[in-house]
Amino acid sequence: MSVIQTGVKLMPSISIWVIRGAFWSLGLGLSLGIAAPGLAAKTIALPAQYSSLISGGAIEVAELENFVNTGNVPSNFSVLAGSLSSIAQINGDEQSLVQKIREQLSQPISIDKNNPKSVDELSNLVKILLPPDSTEAEQQEAKTLLTQKANNLTLIDFLKKLPVDNLTQDNFLDVLRKMPPPAQARSTTNILYLNSTRGFGTLNLENFRGAIANALENYQGGTVFDVLNSKPVGFYNQIWFDTSIYQTSILNTVDFAAINAWAANKQPEFILDSSFAFRNKETTTLTPSAAAATINQALALKNAGGGILIGTDHNDFAYTANQILTNFGFDGLFTGVTEITANGSFVGDLMLNPYKVKSDFFVNNLQGLSTSNVPIGTHTLNANGGDRTIKIIENLFSYSPNKVVHVGASFDTGNNMTPIDDPESVPEPTTVLGTLAFGAVISRWRMKRKQQQKVLNSTVS
């Protein structure tokens, strides 16, 4: 990856700071073609683990696709839906687990051989898809073929491409062998990562910033994010400003001319993250939890249509970050010096889903960190921001002693509240692989509830 030195003008390629590449493109639009008529899975015969959840023990692919597209639950899903509703009530979850599963099934399948959680989910799924007496070699072959042929496809697209009418445990591996390989992925989102956390006044963090871009570059084997640093400014869908430098404003009028020309066409959304300086502070690789949080932010911004992430630190290090906010006419800036304390919460899914972080993310990256207060609330942007009115919504806050927002976004990312020191406290499926394997868990839960009810009835009698 090339390095662009300080002083290079932003036009025609937005590149004034040292850049550890941008990222591999977030594009999940694949040039996959359409399965030939008559060569698509139409019915799925369920494994034994699921047989009690779906009436008739089989799923029509057309009904499953209709559920994903419209939210209309198939009639034979009634038992499953009832079980999920009961679990949601027990967990105090306002959003139906049925709809959460629908959301997950609409997301591309993500198989990352470098992610232990992804590897475990794939192993568990293969044990469900293959017969109980399948050999270790057959399971390994299935995992390899799924990685090659299912990665980045939605579940519906994957099922449509399977060359069989009725899919069962017994024929799954053979059908998978016959499935044609996907066409080469095509990137649709290009992200430029600009780094000013370097040199004097940056807490000596400059040696570790490349790990942030590397984590995104290596996501899903390098097929998602595109690292480009020599294209005209209009080429990019997202711009990430990694800017924590002591009392220094780096951007000049030429830089802002390029940024504003880009923004005029993009009408960008925003993520404001005053905890970003310490996303990585000690190593040349991100921890799994830090990588997950970074990928989640990139995916969220992509799903919102693209935009700008401004990552910074507390007020003395936020001069350049505030330059950017002022340029767009924000009514407030990054302010203050406040520590992130454990009595706070992640709000919504911006940093926690689709890839969950673990409690070590707080300990290693946030605990005791001094950051700015992010300017949440309504902002009336100027002409550079499209004369729009936007609202920055809090996504991470803590109390020290007053409530301080450390991360915000200009788009809705959900209302779930998760303790800042235990982000993995809610065990719900957050990936397609996990959702598919989740069915077996629901089936066991339902059986246990029946047994408990039977014991209770006997006691009452």
Coordinates of all heavy atoms in Angstrom, one line a residue, residues 266-308:
K266 N -22.7 14.0 -2.7 CA -23.0 12.8 -1.9 C -24.1 13.1 -0.8 O -24.7 12.1 -0.3 CB -21.7 12.4 -1.2 CG -20.5 12.0 -2.1 CD -20.9 10.8 -3.0 CE -19.7 10.5 -3.9 NZ -20.0 9.3 -4.7
Q267 N -24.3 14.3 -0.4 CA -25.2 14.6 0.8 C -24.9 13.6 1.9 O -25.7 12.8 2.3 CB -26.6 14.5 0.3 CG -27.1 15.5 -0.7 CD -27.2 16.9 -0.2 OE1 -28.0 17.2 0.6 NE2 -26.2 17.8 -0.5
P268 N -23.7 13.7 2.5 CA -23.2 12.6 3.4 C -23.9 12.6 4.7 O -24.3 13.6 5.2 CB -21.7 13.0 3.5 CG -21.7 14.5 3.4 CD -22.7 14.8 2.3
E269 N -24.0 11.3 5.2 CA -24.3 11.2 6.6 C -23.0 11.3 7.4 O -21.9 11.3 6.9 CB -25.0 9.8 6.9 CG -26.3 9.6 6.1 CD -27.4 10.4 6.7 OE1 -27.3 11.0 7.7 OE2 -28.5 10.5 6.0
F270 N -23.2 11.3 8.8 CA -22.0 11.5 9.6 C -22.0 10.6 10.8 O -23.0 10.2 11.4 CB -22.0 13.0 10.2 CG -21.8 14.1 9.2 CD1 -22.9 14.6 8.5 CD2 -20.5 14.5 8.9 CE1 -22.7 15.6 7.6 CE2 -20.4 15.6 8.0 CZ -21.5 16.1 7.3
I271 N -20.8 10.1 11.1 CA -20.5 9.5 12.4 C -19.4 10.3 13.1 O -18.4 10.6 12.5 CB -20.0 8.0 12.2 CG1 -21.1 7.1 11.6 CG2 -19.5 7.4 13.6 CD1 -20.6 5.7 11.3
L272 N -19.7 10.7 14.3 CA -18.8 11.5 15.1 C -18.3 10.7 16.3 O -19.2 10.3 17.1 CB -19.5 12.8 15.6 CG -20.2 13.7 14.6 CD1 -20.8 14.9 15.2 CD2 -19.3 14.0 13.4
D273 N -17.0 10.4 16.4 CA -16.5 9.4 17.4 C -15.3 10.0 18.1 O -14.2 10.1 17.6 CB -16.1 8.1 16.6 CG -15.8 7.0 17.6 OD1 -15.5 7.3 18.8 OD2 -15.7 5.8 17.2
S274 N -15.6 10.5 19.3 CA -14.5 11.1 20.1 C -13.7 10.0 20.9 O -12.7 10.4 21.6 CB -15.0 12.1 21.0 OG -15.8 11.6 22.1
S275 N -14.0 8.8 20.7 CA -13.3 7.7 21.3 C -12.3 7.0 20.4 O -11.6 6.1 20.7 CB -14.2 6.6 21.9 OG -14.8 5.8 20.8
F276 N -12.3 7.5 19.1 CA -11.6 6.8 18.1 C -10.1 6.9 18.2 O -9.4 6.0 17.7 CB -12.0 7.5 16.7 CG -11.7 6.6 15.5 CD1 -12.5 5.6 15.2 CD2 -10.6 6.8 14.7 CE1 -12.3 4.8 14.1 CE2 -10.3 6.0 13.6 CZ -11.2 5.0 13.3
A277 N -9.5 7.9 18.9 CA -8.1 8.0 19.0 C -7.5 6.7 19.6 O -6.4 6.3 19.2 CB -7.7 9.2 19.9
F278 N -8.2 6.1 20.6 CA -7.6 4.9 21.2 C -8.3 3.7 20.7 O -8.3 2.7 21.5 CB -7.8 5.1 22.8 CG -6.7 5.9 23.4 CD1 -6.4 7.1 22.9 CD2 -6.0 5.4 24.5 CE1 -5.4 7.9 23.5 CE2 -5.0 6.2 25.1 CZ -4.7 7.4 24.6
R279 N -8.8 3.7 19.5 CA -9.3 2.5 18.9 C -8.2 1.4 18.8 O -8.4 0.2 18.9 CB -9.9 2.7 17.5 CG -10.4 1.6 16.7 CD -11.6 0.9 17.4 NE -12.6 1.9 17.8 CZ -13.6 2.2 17.0 NH1 -13.7 1.7 15.8 NH2 -14.5 3.1 17.4
N280 N -7.0 1.9 18.7 CA -5.8 1.0 18.7 C -4.6 1.9 19.2 O -4.3 2.9 18.6 CB -5.5 0.4 17.3 CG -4.3 -0.5 17.4 OD1 -4.3 -1.4 18.2 ND2 -3.4 -0.3 16.5
K281 N -4.0 1.5 20.3 CA -2.9 2.3 20.9 C -1.6 1.6 21.2 O -0.7 2.3 21.6 CB -3.5 3.0 22.1 CG -4.0 2.0 23.2 CD -4.6 2.7 24.4 CE -5.1 1.7 25.4 NZ -5.7 2.4 26.6
E282 N -1.6 0.3 21.0 CA -0.4 -0.4 21.5 C 0.2 -1.4 20.5 O 1.3 -1.9 20.7 CB -0.7 -1.1 22.8 CG -1.0 -0.1 23.9 CD -1.3 -0.8 25.2 OE1 -1.5 -2.1 25.2 OE2 -1.3 -0.2 26.3
T283 N -0.6 -1.9 19.5 CA -0.1 -3.0 18.7 C -0.3 -2.7 17.2 O -1.0 -1.7 16.8 CB -0.9 -4.3 19.0 OG1 -2.3 -4.1 18.6 CG2 -0.9 -4.6 20.5
T284 N 0.3 -3.5 16.4 CA 0.1 -3.3 14.9 C -1.0 -4.2 14.3 O -1.2 -4.2 13.1 CB 1.4 -3.8 14.2 OG1 1.8 -5.1 14.6 CG2 2.6 -2.8 14.6
T285 N -1.8 -4.8 15.2 CA -3.0 -5.5 14.8 C -4.1 -5.1 15.8 O -3.9 -5.0 17.0 CB -2.8 -7.0 14.8 OG1 -2.5 -7.5 16.1 CG2 -1.8 -7.4 13.7
L286 N -5.4 -5.0 15.3 CA -6.5 -4.7 16.2 C -6.9 -6.0 16.9 O -6.8 -7.1 16.4 CB -7.7 -4.2 15.4 CG -7.6 -2.8 14.8 CD1 -9.0 -2.4 14.3 CD2 -7.2 -1.8 15.8
T287 N -7.4 -5.8 18.1 CA -8.0 -6.9 18.8 C -9.3 -7.3 18.1 O -9.9 -6.5 17.4 CB -8.4 -6.6 20.3 OG1 -9.3 -5.6 20.3 CG2 -7.1 -6.1 21.0
P288 N -9.8 -8.5 18.2 CA -11.0 -8.9 17.5 C -12.2 -8.0 17.8 O -13.0 -7.6 17.0 CB -11.3 -10.3 18.0 CG -9.9 -10.9 18.3 CD -9.2 -9.7 18.8
S289 N -12.3 -7.5 19.1 CA -13.4 -6.6 19.5 C -13.3 -5.3 18.9 O -14.2 -4.7 18.4 CB -13.4 -6.5 21.0 OG -13.9 -7.7 21.6
A290 N -12.0 -4.7 18.8 CA -11.8 -3.4 18.2 C -12.1 -3.5 16.7 O -12.6 -2.6 16.1 CB -10.4 -2.9 18.5
A291 N -11.7 -4.6 16.1 CA -11.9 -4.8 14.7 C -13.4 -4.8 14.4 O -13.9 -4.3 13.4 CB -11.2 -6.0 14.2
A292 N -14.2 -5.6 15.3 CA -15.6 -5.7 15.1 C -16.3 -4.3 15.2 O -17.1 -4.0 14.3 CB -16.2 -6.6 16.1
A293 N -15.9 -3.5 16.1 CA -16.5 -2.2 16.3 C -16.2 -1.3 15.1 O -17.1 -0.6 14.6 CB -16.0 -1.5 17.6
T294 N -15.0 -1.4 14.5 CA -14.6 -0.6 13.4 C -15.4 -1.1 12.1 O -15.9 -0.2 11.4 CB -13.1 -0.8 13.1 OG1 -12.4 -0.4 14.3 CG2 -12.7 0.1 11.9
I295 N -15.5 -2.4 11.9 CA -16.3 -2.9 10.8 C -17.7 -2.5 10.9 O -18.4 -2.1 9.9 CB -16.1 -4.4 10.7 CG1 -14.6 -4.7 10.3 CG2 -17.1 -5.0 9.7 CD1 -14.3 -6.2 10.5
N296 N -18.3 -2.6 12.1 CA -19.7 -2.2 12.3 C -19.9 -0.8 11.9 O -21.0 -0.5 11.3 CB -20.1 -2.4 13.8 CG -20.1 -3.9 14.1 OD1 -20.3 -4.8 13.3 ND2 -20.1 -4.2 15.4
Q297 N -19.0 0.1 12.2 CA -19.2 1.5 11.9 C -19.2 1.7 10.4 O -20.0 2.4 9.8 CB -18.2 2.4 12.6 CG -18.4 2.5 14.1 CD -17.3 3.4 14.7 OE1 -16.1 3.1 14.5 NE2 -17.7 4.4 15.4
A298 N -18.3 1.0 9.7 CA -18.2 1.1 8.3 C -19.4 0.6 7.6 O -19.9 1.2 6.6 CB -16.9 0.4 7.8
L299 N -19.9 -0.6 8.1 CA -21.1 -1.2 7.5 C -22.3 -0.3 7.7 O -23.2 -0.1 6.9 CB -21.3 -2.5 8.1 CG -20.4 -3.6 7.7 CD1 -20.6 -4.9 8.5 CD2 -20.4 -3.9 6.2
A300 N -22.4 0.3 8.9 CA -23.5 1.2 9.2 C -23.5 2.4 8.3 O -24.6 2.8 7.8 CB -23.5 1.6 10.7
L301 N -22.4 3.0 8.1 CA -22.3 4.2 7.2 C -22.6 3.8 5.8 O -23.3 4.6 5.1 CB -20.9 4.8 7.3 CG -20.7 6.2 6.9 CD1 -21.7 7.2 7.6 CD2 -19.3 6.7 7.0
K302 N -22.2 2.6 5.4 CA -22.5 2.2 4.0 C -24.0 2.0 3.9 O -24.6 2.4 2.9 CB -21.8 0.9 3.7 CG -22.0 0.3 2.4 CD -23.0 -0.8 2.4 CE -23.3 -1.4 1.0 NZ -24.3 -2.5 1.0
N303 N -24.6 1.3 4.9 CA -26.1 1.1 4.8 C -26.9 2.4 4.8 O -28.0 2.5 4.4 CB -26.5 0.2 5.9 CG -26.0 -1.2 5.8 OD1 -25.7 -1.7 4.7 ND2 -25.9 -1.9 6.9
A304 N -26.3 3.5 5.4 CA -26.9 4.8 5.4 C -26.7 5.6 4.1 O -27.2 6.7 4.0 CB -26.4 5.6 6.6
G305 N -26.0 5.0 3.2 CA -25.8 5.7 1.9 C -24.4 6.3 1.7 O -24.2 7.0 0.8
G306 N -23.6 6.1 2.7 CA -22.2 6.7 2.6 C -22.1 8.0 3.4 O -23.1 8.6 3.9
G307 N -20.9 8.5 3.6 CA -20.7 9.7 4.3 C -19.3 9.9 4.9 O -18.3 9.4 4.4
I308 N -19.3 10.6 6.1 CA -18.0 10.9 6.7 C -18.0 10.4 8.1 O -18.9 10.6 8.9 CB -17.9 12.5 6.7 CG1 -17.8 13.0 5.3 CG2 -16.7 12.9 7.6 CD1 -17.8 14.5 5.2

